[in-house]
Amino acid sequence: MAVSPVLPKLVGERVKRREDPRLIQGRATYVDDIALVGMQYIAFKRSDVAHARIRSVDTRAAEAMDGVEAVFTGAQVAEFLAPMPIGTPFPSPEHRAVAVDTVRFSGEPVAVVVARDRFVARDAVDAIVVSYDPLPAVVDVELAMTGKPTVIHPAFPNNLAVPLVPAGTGVSADGKVDDSAIDEAFARADLVISQRMVNQRLAPTAMEPRGVVAHYEPGKGTMTIWSSTQNPHILRTFIAALTGLGENQVRAIAPEVGGGFGAKINIYGEEYVAAAVSKRLGIPVKWTEDRSEAFVATTHGRDILGYVDLAAKRDGTVVGLKLRLIADIGAYNMLLTAAIPTLTTMMANATYNIPAIRATVTEVFTNKTPTDAYRGAGRPEATYFVERAMDMLARELKMDPAELRRKNFIQPSQFPFATQTGAVYDSGDYEKALDRALKNAQWDRLKAERDKARAEGRLVGLGLSMYVEVCGLGPSAALPTGGWEHSQVTIERDGRISATTGASPHGQGNETTFAQMLADQFGVPFEHITILHGDTGVVKQGIGTFGSRSQAVGGTALHMAGSKVKAKMAKFAAALLEAHEDDVVFENGTISVKGSPASGKPFASVAAYAYRPVPLPEGLEPGLSDEAFFEPSNNTYPFGCHISMVEIDRKTGEPTLLKLVAVDDAGNLINPLIVEGQIHGGLAQGIGQAMIEEVVYNEDGQLVTGSFMDYAIPRAIDFPRFELDATVTPTPVNPLGAKGVGEAGTLGATPSVVSATVDALSGFGVKHIDMMLRPEKLWRIIQGGQS
Amino acid sequence: MSQVSMTVNGKVRKATVDPRVLLVYFLRDQLRLTGTHIGCDTSQCGACTVMIDGRSAKSCTIFAVQADGSEITTIEGLATNGQLHPLQQGFWEEHGLQCGFCTPGMIMAAVTLLKDNPSPSEREIREGITGNFCRCTGYQHIVNAIQHAATKR
Ligand code: FES
Ligand code: FES
């Protein structure tokens, strides 16, 4: 037979994405692109006050409008929709998708309109008249903790959603706390750095706002729901539970999803309402979020206040760390809200040997939009608090910030490393990442440049940050949904391969990376592989894409399913080739006996044989399809080092990022091009947090940053060209050695930019500056005022 | 209701439209050209960018009735005879997109950018796409994509 062309190995290569042709030609289908026959549009009347009793909701004028199908008040919705569940084990107040008697944040829904088109729906919303008895609002988290001026949920005194979760040295599994070790550590310290730091509230701001189409078919008794979500299978579970259907009667579809960044993990009230309303009216309905609606209705991220105490010896040896955290979670618990700040305490150990750590977190209700995951979700906060404190320590000791880190690193020989705060780091070589970053940045030369610039009167500073994050979430014990991922691989009759993954992507390029893996695994052309995702009618099971898990967990499930099918296919091939199954090799589109490629059978003909197996080899069933659930034994712990250089305009206080050097270690990489893109995007968000992003409320609980006019997401002009590099320390947790990379950029960039800014202004005696680095704030420091 | 007639991607389209409907909704909901996206309600994100009479413009900033008689190109009409436009090719080659939501607007904005300045510097590219937001890419690969198109044309 003809010798087949040699197929290149694809894993590890910069393969162009196969998702792109549809996306660059406007041929992709996002939720708002879907139109069903008979579909009507939903719009929400939202509270314009932060805290009030609802006295009345007058819907008469709205109902009388031409084209309005139905109007439901919160009380009416409550008749057919139960309160919203959460996904964490913490106690939670009742939360209705549409408020019944009290509103607790500005933007909370109070009524729902269903109408012929989106414009009529909006007009009808405007025609609804709600009257309120105002209650005092609380927006300051430390004030809220005193129970003044208001208690938002009566069952939660002093607004304490979660009174106190301790972690670290001396905290036992049953929550008992022994302070002796941490007290001793602080007693033997030569100095203690103490600082209050704000990790401010952010708006995740995926460019595609949320949207949902729900279609209940009364004849079949089934529900199809399209949603801009990161996890259609979890959506299916919750929608089934709240609409009284079985999971086998609900099909959830995440079509093309325009970014998520953690904010599309949560299952939202609008999704429940759309499903319930469709079921009640027996018609398909669509809801599309406006951008200004997204600012109040989509969960926010971060918003953790930290009191940090770092104890050290004069030679720079860190001996103890205390982190007292207060999380402002807004008005309600959402799916993962309460769990996010516990990731901050979990990661308090950072990359260092710290003999004693005490980290506590208190979570507090305020009259704001609820928080939930936002890219990094708890880990950027931990990194920020610890790395800023390390930077302050270096400055106090007049040590090079890199050398201080080096002195305290957990060493490669210490892995797996059990931290003081309950994590077991899988693998790491922190000094290698630091050294690579210092080399790439030309650290000594940069310092000389900075000093020269300063001598000329310019305000230039350098900042450095290490990070370690927890990714590849995670063992099932760590997630209420389970922490596995699922895949099914099918060799079709014609030799093409279809594979499903529960890791539903929204920009991560899984169709490409997963096809690269299968192409190598089976020795077939990349073009012969189709990756299916995002549809529970096609993908049997799944968890979703978050916590940098799609490659480490989803990729591993794919690899496992592929291995099972391959083993079976080897048996069919062995029968055809009259060889032993252990001796057959898959390469270049053929399956042959090791050492004699010319004897091989085309891959497709082995597939055809498996589907018409005459004769059927002993002990085999026909067909080539198998599935796998991968349950990781641990999380993965990627790490890296980010260095930045910042200049402040002396006249205006405006900061400019001159340079950003990043070295990230995510273990083995499947597609370095895609990995770079992920890191760039994370860096942009990490730098955005440091420099220009901040959700601001006024004292009445009104969102001041409620549109792109007031909330600054970074633009192209805000960045220099990022300089990336990677070290590779594979994880032993999965056979791919891949750790995950989706969030990395948000970890180190933020503290490194803030530290660079503090460095630039160190001549003015400033030791710490809270984010965001508003020019006015910096200008005041330059003018001799306070930060 | 008003009558409008415009040439969209080379085809004459006549329609009856509510005077308050923005051009972007007309394209998406009435003509079903859903490649043009809506990312904001304050005319800042650029997701809705199309070409109107040969210039890039945000289609959420004008009413459909104002585009009466205009010639419009959307992302669906950018490729010619099945050949990707150099910018589409550039975005593909250089991984200039992730979720792809900003991409049609970003590409349509870059068309005018390159028309006005066929060999822009990196700085000029970054300034030129300031009216287009991308939350996924950090812009570096978008800059590369536009540079790719500029050199390969
Ligand atoms: S939708 Fe037109 S600029 Fe945002
Ligand atoms: S690629 Fe997602 S917003 Fe640009």
Side-chain angles (χ1 to χ4, degrees), chain A residues 659-739:
Chain A
K659 193 175 185 68
L660 195 134
V661 175
V663 172
D664 296 278
D665 192 323
N668 291 333
L669 309 181
I670 311 298
N671 185 329
L673 182 65
I674 287 178
V675 167
E676 280 171 22
Q678 287 291 315
I679 293 171
H680 288 160
L683 289 173
Q685 290 177 356
I687 296 162
Q689 171 166 22
M691 300 184 78
I692 58 174
E693 293 187 44
E694 182 172 31
V695 169
V696 178
Y697 282 87
N698 74 10
E699 59 200 17
D700 299 327
Q702 289 298 335
L703 181 63
V704 176
T705 50
S707 78
F708 282 144
M709 313 268 275
D710 307 296
Y711 188 89
I713 77 161
R715 300 156 304 162
I717 203 73
D718 295 321
F719 302 122
R721 185 160 276 267
F722 304 135
E723 300 165 48
L724 305 192
D725 200 354
T727 58
V728 176
T729 310
T731 176
V733 172
N734 64 62
L736 310 177
K739 289 192 168 187

Side-chain angles (χ1 to χ4, degrees), chain A residues 97-440:
Chain A
V98 184
V100 175
D101 50 23
T102 305
V103 290
R104 297 182 176 88
F105 68 95
S106 180
E108 185 167 2
V110 288
V112 188
V113 168
V114 187
R116 180 179 61 216
D117 65 39
R118 52 180 114 224
F119 308 112
V120 174
R122 173 65 80 82
D123 287 344
V125 158
D126 290 343
I128 296 173
V129 180
V130 186
S131 58
Y132 297 102
D133 290 323
L135 294 167
V138 61
V139 295
D140 181 285
V141 71
E142 289 182 290
L143 183 61
M145 291 171 75
T146 66
K148 304 242 175 48
T150 190
V151 173
I152 298 169
H153 301 285
F156 292 78
N158 292 336
N159 295 306
L160 299 185
V162 179
L164 187 101
V165 184
T169 322
V171 179
S172 53
D174 60 2
K176 282 214 186 63
V177 174
D178 172 1
D179 285 337
S180 52
I182 187 84
D183 288 347
E184 256 168 55
F186 274 74
R188 72 189 172 90
D190 294 331
L191 76 165
V192 175
I193 300 293
S194 296
Q195 182 66 47
R196 178 187 193 269
M197 300 182 197
V198 177
N199 202 285
Q200 83 276 30
R201 180 174 277 250
L202 302 175
T205 325
M207 287 315 299
E208 182 206 22
R210 289 184 298 123
V212 55
V213 173
H215 185 198
Y216 180 74
E217 293 173 79
K220 293 196 280 183
T222 58
M223 173 86 66
T224 306
I225 181 165
W226 291 259
S227 181
S228 183
T229 181
Q230 297 176 221
N231 26 248
H233 287 87
I234 296 175
L235 176 67
R236 176 176 68 160
T237 298
F238 281 88
I239 290 293
L242 256 71
T243 53
L245 296 169
E247 288 198 29
N248 56 0
Q249 294 166 302
V250 177
R251 177 179 180 187
I253 301 174
E256 210 72 61
V257 175
F261 313 115
K264 292 177 183 172
I265 300 171
N266 181 47
I267 313 302
Y268 285 89
E270 293 89 352
E271 291 168 306
Y272 293 122
V273 167
V277 163
S278 174
K279 185 162 178 250
R280 189 170 173 87
L281 301 179
I283 56 170
V285 295
K286 178 196 272 189
W287 171 72
T288 305
E289 189 177 52
D290 291 331
R291 176 59 60 191
S292 35
E293 197 175 19
F295 276 106
V296 294
T298 293
T299 53
H300 293 164
R302 313 272 194 269
D303 209 346
I304 298 183
L305 171 62
Y307 287 89
V308 188
D309 300 289
L310 183 67
K313 307 294 282 182
R314 278 262 149 238
D315 69 354
T317 307
V318 172
V319 295
L321 169 70
K322 288 184 199 165
L323 264 188
R324 184 164 69 86
L325 307 178
I326 302 167
D328 176 346
I329 65 169
Y332 294 98
N333 263 318
M334 306 301 275
L335 193 70
L336 300 176
T337 304
I340 305 298
T342 64
L343 289 172
T344 306
T345 53
M346 176 184 177
M347 294 311 292
N349 208 132
T351 55
Y352 310 112
N353 277 306
I354 308 178
I357 298 177
R358 171 61 41 77
T360 62
V361 61
T362 300
E363 303 185 21
V364 183
F365 290 120
T366 59
N367 293 112
K368 300 179 190 168
T369 292
T371 58
D372 203 309
Y374 170 54
R375 199 172 196 168
R379 295 92 96 196
E381 295 91 318
T383 305
Y384 182 75
F385 295 135
V386 176
E387 290 298 317
R388 277 295 303 132
M390 288 295 278
D391 202 74
M392 292 175 71
L393 176 62
R395 190 166 296 284
E396 186 72 29
L397 294 172
K398 299 192 167 48
M399 264 179 93
D400 182 304
E403 295 319 305
L404 176 70
R405 265 92 175 175
R406 190 189 304 282
K407 194 173 179 61
N408 289 285
F409 278 147
I410 298 161
Q411 296 301 310
S413 60
Q414 291 176 273
F415 293 92
F417 180 82
T419 71
Q420 299 288 330
T421 47
V424 180
Y425 294 169
D426 54 346
S427 63
D429 190 342
Y430 303 143
E431 194 160 9
K432 193 163 149 195
L434 172 70
D435 282 334
R436 182 77 66 85
L438 293 175
K439 177 166 163 272
N440 291 358

Side-chain angles (χ1 to χ4, degrees), chain A residues 207, chain B residues 97-103 134-137:
Chain A
M207 287 315 299
Chain B
L97 58 148
Q98 290 178 28
C99 79
F101 195 77
C102 71
T103 312
C134 174
R135 192 57 154 167
C136 294
T137 64

Side-chain angles (χ1 to χ4, degrees), chain A residues 16-17 24 30 32-33 118-119 123 203-204 291-292 677 680-681 693 708-709 714 716-717 721-722, chain B residues 20 28-29 32 39 41 44 75 88 92-93 95 98-101 122 126-127 135-137 139-140 144:
Chain A
K16 278 198 307 189
R17 296 202 325 169
I24 56 180
Y30 298 84
D32 193 51
D33 303 342
R118 52 180 114 224
F119 308 112
D123 287 344
R291 176 59 60 191
S292 35
H680 288 160
E693 293 187 44
F708 282 144
M709 313 268 275
I717 203 73
R721 185 160 276 267
F722 304 135
Chain B
R20 68 174 174 175
R28 288 179 51 79
D29 290 353
R32 297 295 300 148
D41 42 17
Q44 275 160 321
I75 190 71
Q88 291 172 311
W92 192 11
E93 297 292 335
H95 185 26
Q98 290 178 28
C99 79
F101 195 77
E122 170 150 0
R126 287 181 184 268
E127 278 167 3
R135 192 57 154 167
C136 294
T137 64
Y139 301 102
Q140 190 150 317
N144 294 353

Side-chain angles (χ1 to χ4, degrees), chain B residues 37-49 58-61 131:
Chain B
H37 297 151
I38 301 169
C40 72
D41 42 17
T42 50
S43 292
Q44 275 160 321
C45 75
C48 62
T49 307
K58 293 178 175 177
S59 61
C60 73
T61 56

